[in-house]
Amino acid sequence: MHTLFQFHPSGNCYKLRLAMRQLGVSFRIKEINILKGESRTPEFLAINPNGRVPVLQVGDRYLPESNAALWYLAQQTHLLPDDSFSQAQVLQWMLFEQYSHEPNIATLRYWQSLANIDTSELIQTINTKRQAGYQALEVMERHLAERDYFVGEQYSIADITLYAYTHVAHEGGFDLKGFPGICRWLVAVASQPGFVSLAD
Amino acid sequence: MHTLFQFHPSGNCYKLRLAMRQLGVSFRIKEINILKGESRTPEFLAINPNGRVPVLQVGDRYLPESNAALWYLAQQTHLLPDDSFSQAQVLQWMLFEQYSHEPNIATLRYWQSLANIDTSELIQTINTKRQAGYQALEVMERHLAERDYFVGEQYSIADITLYAYTHVAHEGGFDLKGFPGICRWLVAVASQPGFVSLAD
């Protein structure tokens, strides 16, 4: 049985809970409270020297990086398309998520709704991340204008990756009213068999 | 024949030139000068709505994100391990590179050595990126202390990904003197059959 080292409110950790539930994979949870520094202890750094959750434990091996673990779980399942170009497109959106989406949208949610920090000295950084976050949402909206899902007209881990922080973007102060394609897609993802919410 | 839309000094673009040379893949180059705004024209945004290079054209399809294209090229070659857990570890390092390494080390190189911008108002951001860049190098150093390559004791696209900006980290003001494992690994990568430099 796999073990998921996670912080429950984290979207990156939610990706793996959602995928494992939808794939019928059994797992146990080891909660790591990042707000209390539990991801920076010597014990946790021995598991992931980068000091981040989630980490998926498979046997006696540890796999950090949410999207790498998502990929591992989805191999040869209905959550990953078969052909190599479509698989590369799934990776394209996973890398887009980690480079252009998460550092902006997830970070503002973390600051605004989870960490309860003083942001008065971060105004310039917040403005930069706000603008970059909306740019990422615009790229998604343009892609979804003519598609139901991100890759190959089927629900895949590309959708799980991007759903994780998009559906809680409002908790970071983002307004999705001007993004009808994204709003339609959010409903489609939440209607998938075996869907569980972030709070579950 | 593939087409690589690239900006030659970019480490992200160099990853694909290096891999294609080492794999014997024929390709043509379409140079996009990002310093002159050529990645933000309507023509280029039709190819990649995210407005970034590289993009790999395969037939009539376009694949953005350097590491997704690297993955596509390396499928079933000696640059990607066979087993699924090792493949997930390759992805783990690719995602680490795009989240924890490139936004810090490559961005400081870009500001300091390529874009020739006024950084006087960016002091706080530069300090943050400097610290995060060194943290990423420490994670790499710790991993390489007991290993020759990043995954499975063989040269792979995980090494190509991390080599791209690590070997020019000094151009962003990073000093690798305190990182003997990284320095040894840099030499090992540059000794691989078919290696070409970033300038080539």
Side-chain angles (χ1 to χ4, degrees), chain A residues 1-5 16 20 25-28 47 54-65 68-74, chain B residues 83-86 88-89 92:
Chain A
M1 187 187 287
H2 299 335
T3 300
L4 176 63
F5 292 79
L16 300 186
M20 288 195 280
V25 171
S26 300
F27 63 102
R28 61 172 72 87
I47 290 172
V55 175
L56 185 68
Q57 182 179 359
V58 179
D60 59 357
R61 297 186 292 186
Y62 299 99
L63 189 56
E65 298 291 340
L70 210 47
W71 181 274
Y72 178 74
L73 292 165
Chain B
D83 73 287
S84 64
F85 196 86
S86 297
Q89 289 178 313
Q92 171 204 328

Side-chain angles (χ1 to χ4, degrees), chain A residues 12 40 42 45-50 52 56 58 61-69 71-72 75 83-89 91-100 102-103 107 121-122 124-125 135-136 139 142, chain B residues 12 40 42 45-50 52 56 58 61-69 71-72 75 83-89 91-100 102-103 107 121-122 124-125 135-136 139 142:
Chain A
N12 284 325
R40 306 291 161 130
L45 290 173
I47 290 172
N48 181 11
N50 204 25
R52 296 176 189 278
L56 185 68
V58 179
R61 297 186 292 186
Y62 299 99
L63 189 56
E65 298 291 340
S66 60
N67 291 346
W71 181 274
Y72 178 74
Q75 288 287 303
D83 73 288
S84 63
F85 196 86
S86 296
Q87 290 187 353
Q89 288 178 314
L91 286 183
Q92 171 205 327
W93 286 107
M94 289 182 138
L95 288 154
F96 165 84
E97 190 263 344
Q98 285 290 292
Y99 194 89
S100 301
E102 202 268 14
T107 301
E121 288 186 11
L122 291 168
Q124 193 178 354
T125 304
Q135 280 173 358
V139 170
R142 181 166 166 167
Chain B
N12 284 327
R40 306 292 162 128
L45 290 172
I47 290 172
N48 180 12
N50 205 22
R52 296 177 192 276
L56 186 67
V58 179
R61 297 187 290 186
Y62 298 99
L63 188 57
E65 299 291 341
S66 59
N67 291 346
W71 180 275
Y72 178 75
Q75 288 286 304
D83 73 287
S84 64
F85 196 86
S86 297
Q87 290 186 353
Q89 289 178 313
L91 285 183
Q92 171 204 328
W93 287 108
M94 289 181 137
L95 289 153
F96 165 84
E97 190 262 345
Q98 285 290 291
Y99 194 87
S100 300
E102 203 266 14
T107 301
E121 288 187 9
L122 292 167
Q124 193 179 355
T125 304
Q135 280 172 358
V139 170
R142 181 167 168 166

Side-chain angles (χ1 to χ4, degrees), chain A residues 124-157:
Chain A
Q124 193 178 354
T125 304
I126 288 171
N127 288 343
T128 303
K129 287 184 180 294
R130 177 80 58 216
Q131 187 180 358
Y134 274 118
Q135 280 173 358
L137 293 170
E138 279 162 19
V139 170
M140 290 171 66
E141 180 67 22
R142 181 166 166 167
H143 190 74
L144 290 170
E146 296 171 2
R147 294 171 185 85
D148 291 332
Y149 300 103
F150 274 90
V151 177
E153 287 306 311
Q154 67 175 85
Y155 175 68
S156 74
I157 51 173

Side-chain angles (χ1 to χ4, degrees), chain B residues 1-2 17 19-28 56 73:
Chain B
M1 186 186 290
H2 299 334
R17 292 199 305 276
M20 287 196 279
R21 293 280 171 79
Q22 292 188 310
L23 292 170
V25 172
S26 301
F27 63 102
R28 61 171 73 89
L56 186 67
L73 291 165

